[in-house]
Amino acid sequence: MTPHRVMFWQIGNVWIFYVLAGLATGLFLAGVVAYVSVWKKSSRSLEIPFSKEALKRMILDTFLGRRVLQGDVAAGLMHLLIFWGFLSLFIGTSLLAIHHYIFTFLEGTAHLIFSFGLEVGGLMLLAGVIWALIRRYLQRVPRLERRLEDAVVPLWLLLAALSGFILEGLRLAVERSPWGGWSFVGWCLSGFFSPAGAEGLYPYLWWGHALLCLGFIAVIPYTKLFHILGAPAGIYLQGASKPIVLGMEEGAGEFDLGDAIFFDGCMRCGRCVEACPSVGAGEPFAPRDFVQALRQALWQEHFPLGDIRFMSPKEESKVDENFWYCTTCRACLEICPVYGAAFEVVTKKRVLAVEEGTMVPKLLNQTLEKLFKYNNPWESSKRKRGAWADGLELIDLTKRGAEADLCYFVGCTTSFDDTAQMIARSFSKVLQTAGVNFGILGKKEPCCGDIARRVGELGLFEEQRKGSEELFDKYGITEVATSSPHCFHTFKNEYPEAPFRARHYTQVLRELMAEGKLRFKKGVEATVTYHDPCYLGRHNRIFDEPREIIRAIPGINLIEMTHYQADSLCCGGGGGRMWQDLQGEVKMSEVRIREAEATGAEILITACPLCLIMLEDARKAAGLKEPFRVMDLNELVLQAL
Amino acid sequence: MSDVLILGEVKEGSLDLKTLELLGAGKKLAGELGGEFSLLLMGDSVSGMADEALPYGPAKVYKLEHHLLQGFKTDLWLACLEQACREINPKVLLMSHSFLGMELGPRLACRLNTRLTTDCIDLSIDPEDGLLLRTKPVSGGNAISVFKCPGEPQLATVRGKVFAAAESGDANGEIVDIKAKIDESMIKVESLEIVREEIVALDKADVVVSGGAGLGEEDGFELLEELREALSKSFANVMIGCSRVAVDKGWISSDHQVGLTGTMISPDIYVAVGISGAIQHLVGMVHAKKIIAINTDPGCNMFKVADYGVVEDYEEIIPALIEKLEELS
Amino acid sequence: MTEIRIIVCAKQIPDPEAPLSDVSVDAEKMEVIVDAPQVISPFDENALEVAVRLKEEAGGKISVLSLGKKVSDTVLRKTLAAGADELILLEDDNFENLDSHSTAAALAGAIRKIGDYDLVLTGRQAGDWDSGQVGLILGEMLALPCISLARDISIEDGNVLVKKNIPEGYERVKAQMPALITVSNEVGELRYISRTKMLKMMRGARSIPSWSAEDLGVTPEALQQMGITALSSPPDMGRDCELLEGSPDEQAEKLAEVFKTLR
Ligand SMILES: Cc1cc2nc3c(=O)[nH]c(=O)nc-3n(C[C@H](O)[C@H](O)[C@H](O)COP(=O)(O)OP(=O)(O)OC[C@H]3O[C@@H](n4cnc5c(N)ncnc54)[C@H](O)[C@@H]3O)c2cc1C
Ligand code: SF4
Ligand code: SF4
């Protein structure tokens, strides 16, 4: 006899099984349909752009678990075990169905390999699920929540897998077929059962196992298990291109399909909670909770029966009103398995809040008014914008006949803040020393629009963008260097029709170094560490230039903090937070300054006016004294010239 | 009739300092008009204060008493004031620029069909037409304007601390009773409850003494507190402010913080002690009328916005300053 | 709850936030020149905010009146964007530099013309001349119950309940409507008006009615100007820091003198 498997061995009334299977599939499909209907209703557009890149990314991420592995290998392996275990059992069962109903092929060697594969799959699943339970309930990994469904789902899987193995053991105990050893787990278990007892027990357990498995399928859309479908869909959509800036009329405050799927694809892994500086500072905001609250809100609004995830708490926390806390630092996107950009959703919520008007915090309200009236968030006047340059004899590009190769765009905060003005003065002197022919816009310099954009005042941003573009156009400016990574980011990524090339000063300095125009004559004997500004590093991937410049200075010893490059911690000044009167238990900047201090470096270097102010402020508040200092990269460079 | 009439105010059972200053102003104006000045006192029981006022030289002290005048009910006080003005018929009526003056002044002006100038810092009589020249800061104190308006009585509310208080001397005047013609039906706005509050309302301070990181230690605020007390002898509403660093260090609570993320204030005088003048701090106080900076660093930003500066360790200056202030007062 | 009709008086002034250096005085022309954009006087914005909140609660209609020789509807349309239903400009050559009494008379004319209202709200004082009179005079002229310095306003069976600032704290008062209330900043800032909303309001072809003195039934003779006879800069406008020199003792002495002069 060739090795084979008897279908529905010992099972009567098979039709009941078919009914149940139909029911499970129906429930599953009904759930999926509900999702699709909610997505349809909550999204501005249903367009699914085709992108090969995104498709590739989706497939690789899904099957190799790259995003889950990244940054947390243990979690990644655990997930891979469950994923592949589950998948192989699922495929196995499907093959069996094909074998039974369509054409018979699982015979002989094929059957043996098949049996063996299923055993391995089952073991992987078991191991993964047990590991998951250990991580959540014994190891108590901090980022993991312990809600009802977090226990129900893995226990369900555990029972399904165990009952499967026992069932097999029972069957083999009766059959004792010569090829039974290939199903090695079941074979081992079969030793524990007497054939007669096994035969009696088998049907009951079989129905139990069937119910567990069918139920599991059915329950997928009604629990966080939906990420099985939602995550890949989310990954695909987050990778497909999106419009850069939408106007109000174009539905800037509305969710798109990618957002809605992201909310449903989020499996509450909490990686973002671990990374979010707002959470780290003890503020009442966390991206995961924000996303979950939005998810629930969408269901409550667009689905007659409310939240489909019946095990979710009835009221998700109100964090969706605390979106002003987000600094848009991008740390959450860096590690989210489904590439969820919580901060972009935050911006959408802000767009709506700004449009509505009553939920704008007082200080931000005043700042926006000031931005509109005076094109800067600090002074109720445009007059003193160029005052930092007094005595430096710089070319004012807005004066008749003035020309230069490079326009230095100073930015609001660098122009008006006493601490930050140093960046402007140092950079100007460095450029002068390097013999660069550059000019500034003096008191005509506008605001780039970063603040307006980040806090969701898109109408104002649009006006500022147009104004700036016209100004640059008018004075024939094609090359721009900015002090602030924020201006740089805004120009580079959010001015689709920019008539100029914008670079951050670190790029300019790096280039001058390569051209040999910037030579460090003096050494600086110091141990320093470098803080990556979010909008330079994470948002624009400029990690190396500043480090190369620092390392080129003779005598300098650059050491890294615990969090650096893409993993850097936010100073707390971005995303309009500088102009909001919000406080957590500690300040983000203080967390950061402590980390810098812990390296033993004497100088903390950064390359952004907001970081400089926030960190200098934190240094004072933390009472860190000389020789520990906070410095802008320009200042250091100037010292070494 | 009296040429200049002053509306008196009573504080804690005695004549308010502001009223004494008004008496000083009234005397001056009466002199310029070649006439006399009188005082009007209203309330449920003001006889004691009438006697107290006579030595300051008014020709008459009009006394308008009524049990309904207990507590301040604008409608009734206004009716009494109107009645008194019609009976006394003064050429000039002065009130202090206080809650009371601002509640009554504008409405009285309307009822008597005359013009009021509020918050005057100087008053004199135009010799040509005998009208009142009213000097008043406008545009948030960025300009000083002199007004002259028709109508009788000539009406002004006067800022505190600009006229010297009248000196007491011989009491030659007489006390005149006016019978109030008021009744409850005149009350259009009914008072339900008065809620007293004690809060650090930094934005209501006239003088703010502020300390920053330069104080070096928590005890620095004790010295500032002493300075505050010394200044309180000459100024109303002196309060302690601070920079955010001082709050962060836990030296003082955050309701004292001035600046972007604290309170925005525009007091008459702002004294910045050991505060460097970061823009986040400046936005909260540059609108102060006068800024005084004490800082060891002559290059610090605060001196760029200050009117007066002292480059010196605050621990040297403040004790000496407190001493001098005591001598002066 | 019955609907409520509110009239808000809002004045256009140069931004009072402008720094000292942007303010100058033309003594000859007797004008204060503020090189700053025009805005709605901040306390008037507070008044508008309460009005909108009351309307949101009870429903009703808000009319905004703004008076001047020439009123910029681009500034005042903000009131419509904030939730006012109607903006009426009171414009007339004779409306230049009016004194408080005449301003109130003109506003009273407009309010009588509107006729049907429950509340008249004004800011406690205007941000330019800081006079603090127009509201209360207006109340007198219209013979309304007057409540000043409101920090909270609510409506209850035809009565208005107000928490008003008093030196000791606040007083809860009640009056029958219609009534006049001057509003203080404690009620809260005007909600933020986004640029998109503003632009929509600008583009909207809605025509803004403008009433002249004649429309209001006020004769030019009844209108008086402020009667400025002189205008000057305060003693030392624009800041130049005077550093007090000498030993600490001498410095302290000089500083004490400064305090004395400021007293
Ligand atoms: C988003 C944000 C919001 C902020 N909001 C505010 C705010 O609302 N309010 C605020 O104040 N700050 C605010 N800050 C902080 C602000 O940037 C400054 O860090 C802070 O104001 C500095 O405080 P300071 O002047 O007391 O300290 P420092 O800048 O350290 O200045 C201390 C000064 O004391 C002087 N000094 C030292 N010893 C003596 C002595 N013995 N006698 C006299 N002088 C001495 C020094 O010369 C120095 O000028 C904010 C910062 C950020 C980033
Ligand atoms: S962008 Fe930064 S602050 Fe905002 S949610 Fe993500 S991690 Fe948190
Ligand atoms: S948003 Fe992303 S990182 Fe955060 S919990 Fe959800 S899936 Fe995890």
Side-chain angles (χ1 to χ4, degrees), chain B residues 274-298:
Chain B
I275 299 180
S276 60
I279 193 151
Q280 295 84 0
H281 187 81
L282 293 189
V283 290
M285 43 59 72
V286 276
H287 288 284
K289 298 206 176 66
K290 284 280 177 266
I291 297 172
I292 297 171
I294 301 175
N295 199 305
T296 41
D297 172 13

Short mmCIF file of all heavy atoms in Angstrom, two decimals, chain B residues 274-298:
data_model
loop_
_atom_site.label_atom_id
_atom_site.label_comp_id
_atom_site.label_asym_id
_atom_site.label_seq_id
_atom_site.Cartn_x
_atom_site.Cartn_y
_atom_site.Cartn_z
N GLY B 274 19.48 88.84 36.46
CA GLY B 274 20.13 87.59 36.05
C GLY B 274 19.35 86.84 34.99
O GLY B 274 19.25 85.63 35.00
N ILE B 275 18.77 87.59 34.05
CA ILE B 275 18.05 86.98 32.92
C ILE B 275 18.73 87.45 31.64
O ILE B 275 18.92 88.64 31.44
CB ILE B 275 16.57 87.40 32.91
CG1 ILE B 275 15.89 86.93 34.20
CG2 ILE B 275 15.85 86.84 31.69
CD1 ILE B 275 14.43 87.29 34.30
N SER B 276 19.11 86.49 30.81
CA SER B 276 19.93 86.86 29.66
C SER B 276 19.14 87.55 28.55
O SER B 276 19.69 88.33 27.79
CB SER B 276 20.60 85.61 29.09
OG SER B 276 19.62 84.69 28.68
N GLY B 277 17.85 87.25 28.44
CA GLY B 277 17.06 87.91 27.41
C GLY B 277 16.89 87.08 26.16
O GLY B 277 16.96 87.60 25.04
N ALA B 278 16.67 85.78 26.32
CA ALA B 278 16.36 84.93 25.17
C ALA B 278 15.03 85.41 24.59
O ALA B 278 14.16 85.89 25.32
CB ALA B 278 16.22 83.48 25.61
N ILE B 279 14.86 85.24 23.28
CA ILE B 279 13.67 85.81 22.65
C ILE B 279 12.40 85.21 23.23
O ILE B 279 11.37 85.88 23.35
CB ILE B 279 13.71 85.66 21.12
CG1 ILE B 279 12.64 86.54 20.49
CG2 ILE B 279 13.53 84.22 20.69
CD1 ILE B 279 12.95 87.03 19.15
N GLN B 280 12.49 83.95 23.68
CA GLN B 280 11.29 83.33 24.26
C GLN B 280 10.90 84.04 25.55
O GLN B 280 9.75 84.01 25.96
CB GLN B 280 11.54 81.85 24.57
CG GLN B 280 11.78 80.98 23.36
CD GLN B 280 13.23 81.00 22.91
OE1 GLN B 280 14.07 81.66 23.49
NE2 GLN B 280 13.50 80.31 21.82
N HIS B 281 11.86 84.65 26.19
CA HIS B 281 11.54 85.43 27.38
C HIS B 281 11.10 86.84 26.97
O HIS B 281 10.10 87.36 27.47
CB HIS B 281 12.76 85.51 28.29
CG HIS B 281 12.48 86.15 29.62
ND1 HIS B 281 11.89 85.47 30.66
CD2 HIS B 281 12.64 87.43 30.06
CE1 HIS B 281 11.74 86.30 31.69
NE2 HIS B 281 12.18 87.48 31.35
N LEU B 282 11.81 87.40 26.02
CA LEU B 282 11.52 88.78 25.61
C LEU B 282 10.10 88.96 25.08
O LEU B 282 9.45 89.95 25.40
CB LEU B 282 12.51 89.24 24.52
CG LEU B 282 13.96 89.40 24.95
CD1 LEU B 282 14.76 90.06 23.84
CD2 LEU B 282 14.07 90.23 26.22
N VAL B 283 9.61 88.01 24.30
CA VAL B 283 8.28 88.21 23.73
C VAL B 283 7.25 88.43 24.83
O VAL B 283 6.22 89.06 24.61
CB VAL B 283 7.78 87.03 22.84
CG1 VAL B 283 8.56 86.97 21.56
CG2 VAL B 283 7.85 85.72 23.58
N GLY B 284 7.55 87.94 26.03
CA GLY B 284 6.59 88.08 27.11
C GLY B 284 6.66 89.40 27.83
O GLY B 284 5.77 89.71 28.62
N MET B 285 7.74 90.19 27.63
CA MET B 285 7.85 91.40 28.45
C MET B 285 8.35 92.65 27.74
O MET B 285 8.43 93.69 28.37
CB MET B 285 8.67 91.14 29.71
CG MET B 285 9.94 90.33 29.61
SD MET B 285 11.24 90.94 28.53
CE MET B 285 11.85 92.33 29.43
N VAL B 286 8.69 92.57 26.45
CA VAL B 286 9.21 93.79 25.81
C VAL B 286 8.23 94.95 25.82
O VAL B 286 8.63 96.09 25.63
CB VAL B 286 9.62 93.61 24.33
CG1 VAL B 286 11.00 93.07 24.22
CG2 VAL B 286 8.61 92.79 23.59
N HIS B 287 6.95 94.64 26.02
CA HIS B 287 5.99 95.74 26.01
C HIS B 287 5.92 96.47 27.34
O HIS B 287 5.13 97.40 27.51
CB HIS B 287 4.61 95.24 25.61
CG HIS B 287 4.53 94.90 24.15
ND1 HIS B 287 4.44 95.86 23.18
CD2 HIS B 287 4.56 93.72 23.50
CE1 HIS B 287 4.42 95.29 21.99
NE2 HIS B 287 4.49 93.98 22.16
N ALA B 288 6.73 96.07 28.30
CA ALA B 288 6.77 96.79 29.57
C ALA B 288 7.15 98.25 29.29
O ALA B 288 7.93 98.54 28.38
CB ALA B 288 7.78 96.15 30.50
N LYS B 289 6.60 99.15 30.08
CA LYS B 289 6.87 100.56 29.79
C LYS B 289 8.32 100.91 30.07
O LYS B 289 8.95 101.64 29.33
CB LYS B 289 5.92 101.43 30.60
CG LYS B 289 4.47 101.15 30.21
CD LYS B 289 3.55 102.32 30.45
CE LYS B 289 2.16 101.97 29.93
NZ LYS B 289 1.52 100.87 30.69
N LYS B 290 8.82 100.42 31.19
CA LYS B 290 10.24 100.64 31.50
C LYS B 290 10.87 99.30 31.86
O LYS B 290 10.29 98.50 32.60
CB LYS B 290 10.40 101.59 32.68
CG LYS B 290 10.15 103.04 32.32
CD LYS B 290 11.36 103.65 31.65
CE LYS B 290 11.10 105.09 31.23
NZ LYS B 290 10.65 105.23 29.84
N ILE B 291 12.07 99.08 31.35
CA ILE B 291 12.75 97.83 31.65
C ILE B 291 14.09 98.13 32.31
O ILE B 291 14.85 98.98 31.83
CB ILE B 291 12.96 97.00 30.37
CG1 ILE B 291 11.60 96.62 29.78
CG2 ILE B 291 13.79 95.75 30.66
CD1 ILE B 291 11.66 95.97 28.43
N ILE B 292 14.33 97.48 33.42
CA ILE B 292 15.59 97.66 34.14
C ILE B 292 16.28 96.31 34.19
O ILE B 292 15.66 95.31 34.56
CB ILE B 292 15.33 98.18 35.57
CG1 ILE B 292 14.67 99.56 35.49
CG2 ILE B 292 16.62 98.23 36.37
CD1 ILE B 292 14.16 100.08 36.83
N ALA B 293 17.55 96.25 33.79
CA ALA B 293 18.25 94.97 33.76
C ALA B 293 19.44 94.98 34.70
O ALA B 293 20.19 95.95 34.75
CB ALA B 293 18.72 94.68 32.34
N ILE B 294 19.56 93.93 35.46
CA ILE B 294 20.74 93.75 36.30
C ILE B 294 21.39 92.46 35.88
O ILE B 294 20.78 91.38 35.94
CB ILE B 294 20.34 93.68 37.80
CG1 ILE B 294 19.63 94.96 38.20
CG2 ILE B 294 21.58 93.44 38.66
CD1 ILE B 294 19.09 94.96 39.62
N ASN B 295 22.62 92.55 35.37
CA ASN B 295 23.25 91.36 34.82
C ASN B 295 24.76 91.56 34.82
O ASN B 295 25.24 92.67 34.58
CB ASN B 295 22.75 91.14 33.39
CG ASN B 295 22.99 89.72 32.92
OD1 ASN B 295 24.11 89.23 32.97
ND2 ASN B 295 21.92 89.05 32.49
N THR B 296 25.49 90.49 35.07
CA THR B 296 26.95 90.62 35.11
C THR B 296 27.57 90.68 33.72
O THR B 296 28.71 91.07 33.56
CB THR B 296 27.58 89.41 35.84
OG1 THR B 296 26.88 88.24 35.43
CG2 THR B 296 27.45 89.57 37.35
N ASP B 297 26.80 90.28 32.72
CA ASP B 297 27.35 90.24 31.36
C ASP B 297 26.89 91.45 30.56
O ASP B 297 25.74 91.54 30.16
CB ASP B 297 26.88 88.93 30.69
CG ASP B 297 27.23 88.88 29.23
OD1 ASP B 297 28.04 89.73 28.78
OD2 ASP B 297 26.70 88.00 28.52
N PRO B 298 27.82 92.39 30.29
CA PRO B 298 27.41 93.62 29.58
C PRO B 298 26.94 93.33 28.17
O PRO B 298 26.23 94.12 27.56
CB PRO B 298 28.68 94.47 29.57
CG PRO B 298 29.81 93.52 29.82
CD PRO B 298 29.25 92.39 30.63
#
